[in-house]
Amino acid sequence: MSYKIATLASHSALDVFDGAKDEGFYTIALCKKGRERPYLEFKRVVDECITLEDFKDIVSDKIQEKLVNEEAIVIPNRSMAVYIGYDSLESMPAKVFGNRKMLRWEERKGEKNYYRLLDEAKIRRPKILTAGDIDEPVVIKLPEALRKVERGFFFAINQEDFEKKIDNLTKLGIINKEGIEEMVIEEFIFGAYFNVNYFHSPLFNRTEIISIDRRIQSDWDTLYRLPAEIQMKLNRLPRLIEVGHEPATIRESLLEKLFDAGYAFVEATKKLEPPGIIGPFTLQLAVTPELDIVVFDVAPRIGGGTNAYMGIGSQYAKLYFGKPLSLGRRISIEIKDAINSHELINILS
């Protein structure tokens, strides 16, 4: 097969490479020096590891010429969007799987933001509050001072608690003025949290639920296991740094609502960013005690939790294909089918 699969070596790249090898593709890992070891160790799934001084070198003339000449299809992930930037990603010559202009919609501010997508789709989301008018529990989302590529979170129960925590986190150097200016304050939704990984297929003309996962976060994962009295004595704010994911299922009576949300989201993207979402996307949502779903975050690309199903596949994918598949393999199946049916132009940008 002449076409090759390439992606930035981070985030969910191993799932992409493993799925690509299962479907017979040659794989190219675009690695950063000092972070390349996993992609050199797992030799079965990585055919070629291109080590760069910086991830931004991916959009250099040299690397782009190589990707174009070798007919590489780039699978975008969150790391690629963050390290390269939307402008460079949208203008680079190499072919990208899916609608590359959708990636910009992951932001919370600006003309293109996921709140607008959710509102267009009529999907319930948390309401937004202002910094001076907090009268209920909230989650604050903002960039951290040192981990600029990551998005930080903390909770507050009211205005006084919010101001105290902003002051404390600033003094500790975890957040700064620049991050506070980018801050979004959302109503806190009480419920069970899930990441639902979808795949919209132009070839099959359907929106699939492929897998569901949940986040493992540090140091929240340890803190919430402690008795309440110990938590209070520690007086420690959890960082909620995402460090892993675990597989999950959801009760079957809720699948109807998940399908409604997935298809509505796809239609909204078609209207706001034609031709809309192609391939994977994730809706991060809460299921309330009333069994309503509230979407609090959107990933218009492969989610960060798909490695949880790498090598074993997901139960929902089996219901479509008769065998367990990871989302990484689902991507390569779509590309392979498009090549065989001469419809590759319809799934690339």
Side-chain angles (χ1 to χ4, degrees):
M1 191 176 297
S2 61
Y3 290 97
K4 300 177 181 180
I5 300 296
T7 195
L8 182 147
S10 182
H11 194 263
S12 46
L14 288 173
D15 182 27
V16 170
F17 294 140
D18 183 51
K21 294 305 297 181
D22 284 345
E23 293 302 314
F25 286 99
Y26 183 96
T27 59
I28 301 174
L30 301 167
C31 304
K32 181 179 178 179
K33 187 176 181 180
R35 293 176 56 174
E36 73 272 34
R37 184 166 184 177
Y39 310 96
L40 296 174
E41 293 281 354
F42 298 128
K43 293 179 170 38
R44 187 194 72 82
V45 300
V46 177
D47 291 305
E48 183 176 356
C49 181
I50 301 175
T51 304
L52 310 167
E53 289 297 322
D54 193 281
F55 281 131
K56 290 185 182 295
D57 295 340
I58 289 173
V59 295
S60 66
D61 291 342
K62 177 182 178 182
I63 300 301
Q64 286 296 304
E65 183 178 358
K66 175 179 175 62
L67 293 174
V68 171
N69 289 342
E70 297 196 18
E71 294 188 294
I73 297 171
V74 178
I75 313 300
N77 55 32
R78 178 60 183 170
S79 294
M80 179 169 283
V82 169
Y83 290 117
I84 295 177
Y86 299 120
D87 290 340
S88 296
L89 209 160
E90 287 177 4
S91 62
M92 68 182 190
K95 290 296 183 183
V96 172
F97 174 67
N99 180 359
R100 68 176 81 188
K101 290 187 176 181
M102 279 302 312
L103 298 168
R104 196 181 289 266
W105 289 88
E106 186 162 357
E107 298 305 313
R108 301 186 181 102
K109 292 195 172 183
E111 179 187 358
K112 298 182 178 183
N113 63 79
Y114 68 72
Y115 297 121
R116 187 178 166 200
L117 281 174
L118 294 173
D119 290 344
E120 179 66 33
K122 294 181 172 55
I123 296 171
R124 182 183 168 190
R125 63 171 174 84
K127 65 177 180 285
I128 307 301
L129 289 83
T130 60
D133 188 24
I134 300 173
D135 58 358
E136 62 181 291
V138 293
V139 57
I140 296 89
K141 302 178 178 182
L142 76 173
E144 291 193 359
L146 299 179
R147 300 184 316 122
K148 294 185 181 298
V149 300
E150 298 285 350
R151 291 169 286 191
F153 306 89
F154 70 93
F155 305 110
I157 60 171
N158 54 31
Q159 187 68 38
E160 181 183 359
D161 189 35
F162 166 77
E163 292 173 359
K164 180 180 178 180
K165 287 175 177 174
I166 283 284
D167 184 59
N168 186 35
L169 290 169
T170 301
K171 287 178 179 177
L172 291 172
I174 294 173
I175 63 174
N176 56 22
K177 182 180 179 181
E178 180 184 346
I180 292 172
E181 290 175 352
E182 295 297 316
M183 173 177 63
V184 174
I185 304 170
E186 288 184 359
E187 159 197 16
F188 180 75
I189 303 297
F190 289 89
Y193 285 24
F194 299 91
N195 297 337
V196 184
N197 302 305
Y198 294 87
F199 190 95
H200 178 66
S201 169
L203 301 186
F204 287 83
N205 191 30
R206 69 188 183 199
T207 300
E208 304 162 358
I209 295 174
I210 297 296
S211 60
I212 300 175
D213 63 78
R214 304 182 76 170
R215 291 181 170 187
I216 302 170
Q217 295 167 303
S218 182
D219 50 359
W220 178 238
D221 190 60
T222 299
L223 195 63
Y224 81 78
R225 298 173 191 268
L226 297 173
E229 63 168 310
I230 303 298
Q231 293 184 35
M232 294 176 70
K233 288 177 181 178
L234 286 172
N235 192 28
R236 178 189 179 111
L237 286 178
R239 296 287 299 280
L240 280 80
I241 299 171
E242 188 174 332
V243 295
H245 294 80
E246 54 191 1
T249 60
I250 202 165
R251 59 188 288 180
E252 288 188 22
S253 59
L254 288 169
L255 289 173
E256 184 88 19
K257 293 180 179 180
L258 297 190
F259 278 115
D260 286 345
Y263 276 91
F265 182 81
V266 169
E267 291 306 310
T269 66
K270 289 179 180 179
K271 181 176 180 180
L272 295 178
E273 193 67 80
I277 197 86
I278 296 170
F281 65 96
T282 299
L283 299 182
Q284 297 181 31
L285 55 87
V287 178
T288 70
E290 296 75 31
L291 301 184
D292 291 329
I293 66 169
V294 184
V295 176
F296 58 84
D297 212 338
V298 170
R301 37 73 187 170
I302 188 170
T306 68
N307 279 4
Y309 291 99
M310 179 177 59
I312 57 175
S314 78
Q315 61 277 59
Y316 296 105
K318 184 177 185 295
L319 303 179
Y320 294 103
F321 296 94
K323 57 185 176 183
L325 302 172
S326 70
L327 192 45
R329 188 171 185 183
R330 179 65 186 90
I331 290 170
S332 285
I333 287 173
E334 190 83 356
I335 293 173
K336 189 174 181 179
D337 285 353
I339 292 170
N340 293 336
S341 61
H342 307 288
E343 296 183 70
L344 199 56
I345 191 174
N346 295 326
I347 64 168
L348 302 183
S349 62

